[in-house]
């Protein structure tokens, strides 16, 4: 398909600049920003036990929870590959989409993972913006 026909791309095939994330907001409003800023079909937050915190977009809650639980396991397995390191982002190419998980660290030591379902893998700068967007939630624990 030509670049103009693909969501989130200009006719030149370059993504437009992402809008700044909201300073504060509910989980759902932050996830809605992720969807809009990243031209994603869905976004969700999952805790380290694989339980869904919030979900917006294309995925049903059960689908988001199932994908999220697998993301949590994937991040833990990636951590095991490099002892002492902490993986912050993982991406998987699925048949028609890409699923990217961005790990977030709460002030109390707990971790959450933001899952983003999109047509392309997220860039490193997108992960930085996701962490920035969720900073107020992370500080609140």
């Amino acid at each position: 398909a030509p670049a103009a026909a693909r969501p989130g791309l200009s006719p030149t095939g370059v993504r437009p600049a992402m809008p700044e994330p909201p300073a504060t907001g509910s989980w759902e409003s932050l996830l809605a920003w992720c969807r809009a800023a990243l031209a994603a079909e869905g976004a969700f937050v999952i805790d380290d036990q694989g339980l869904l915190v919030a979900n917006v977009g294309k995925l049903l809650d059960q689908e988001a929870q199932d994908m999220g639980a697998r993301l949590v396991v994937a991040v833990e397995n990636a951590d095991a590959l490099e002892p002492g390191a902490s993986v912050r982002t993982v991406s998987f190419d699925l048949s028609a989409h890409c699923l990217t998980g961005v790990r977030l660290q709460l002030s109390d030591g707990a971790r959450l993972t933001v899952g983003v379902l999109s047509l392309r893998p997220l860039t490193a700068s997108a992960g930085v913006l996701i962490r920035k967007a969720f900073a107020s939630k992370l500080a609140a624990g």
Side-chain angles (χ1 to χ4, degrees):
R6 292 191 302 242
L9 295 179
S10 72
T12 62
V14 176
R15 285 182 193 253
M18 292 194 318
E20 281 295 309
T24 60
S26 67
W27 290 112
E28 289 79 8
S29 68
L30 292 168
L31 289 171
W33 168 83
C34 284
R35 280 193 70 211
L38 303 171
E41 295 190 24
F44 57 86
V45 176
I46 196 95
D47 70 14
D48 263 0
Q49 286 72 49
L51 299 175
L52 188 65
V53 174
N55 176 37
V56 298
K58 177 181 177 177
L59 298 172
L60 299 173
D61 284 353
Q62 188 61 52
E63 293 171 320
Q65 183 160 324
D66 291 347
M67 281 186 169
R70 289 177 176 89
L71 273 178
V72 169
V73 170
V75 169
E76 289 172 356
N77 287 336
D79 278 346
L81 294 172
E82 192 174 356
S86 179
V87 171
R88 298 182 64 157
T89 305
V90 295
S91 288
F92 297 96
D93 284 328
L94 306 174
S95 60
H97 296 90
C98 184
L99 177 63
T100 303
V102 178
R103 180 186 273 175
L104 306 174
Q105 185 78 40
L106 297 172
S107 59
D108 65 3
R111 292 181 293 203
L112 297 172
T113 301
V114 174
V116 178
L117 186 67
S118 57
L119 293 176
R120 294 183 161 64
L122 298 185
T123 63
S125 61
V128 169
L129 277 180
I130 288 171
R131 286 184 192 87
K132 180 179 176 182
F134 284 88
S136 64
K137 289 288 189 192
L138 302 179

